Amino acid sequence: TPLPENISQKIRHGGKIRRIVVDRQACIGASSCMVVAPGVFQIDEQNLAYVVDPDSTDEDTILTAAQSCPVLAIHLYNEEGKSIFPEG
């Protein structure tokens, strides 16, 4: 599936999760991602999430943050570009 135009993404240096993408069109500003992983995700003045520092926490925390999003606006990919979350 092609990525939406309005995204925020960063690349991680190592590990299984390599790319973190926030679909800002889907984001509703619930800020659950920021509560779980505040070093990785922040909320901007539009009340939308964006990726700050993808290497600031461990992969389990990043996955938990992605799973906490009520609209599944956070997508995680491996080095080959395959989706880790949501699984598909």
Side-chain angles (χ1 to χ4, degrees):
T1 46
L3 288 170
E5 283 179 33
N6 189 8
I7 64 165
S8 170
Q9 69 174 334
K10 292 269 174 80
I11 305 298
R12 292 186 83 239
H13 300 95
K16 197 171 71 172
I17 297 169
R18 282 304 178 93
R19 187 162 53 117
I20 303 171
V21 176
V22 176
D23 177 349
R24 288 168 54 85
Q25 284 172 287
C27 179
I28 59 168
S31 74
S32 49
C33 60
M34 187 179 75
V35 171
V36 175
V40 180
F41 302 100
Q42 286 294 311
I43 303 293
D44 68 12
E45 63 283 347
Q46 293 176 274
N47 203 35
L48 298 175
Y50 65 100
V51 186
V52 185
D53 180 359
D55 296 309
S56 65
T57 192
D58 62 277
E59 294 193 327
D60 288 341
T61 304
I62 292 169
L63 181 59
T64 301
Q67 291 167 336
S68 76
C69 178
V71 293
L72 301 180
I74 300 169
H75 301 256
L76 307 175
Y77 298 91
N78 69 10
E79 203 169 7
E80 288 79 46
K82 286 188 60 176
S83 182
I84 292 173
F85 184 84
E87 285 179 46

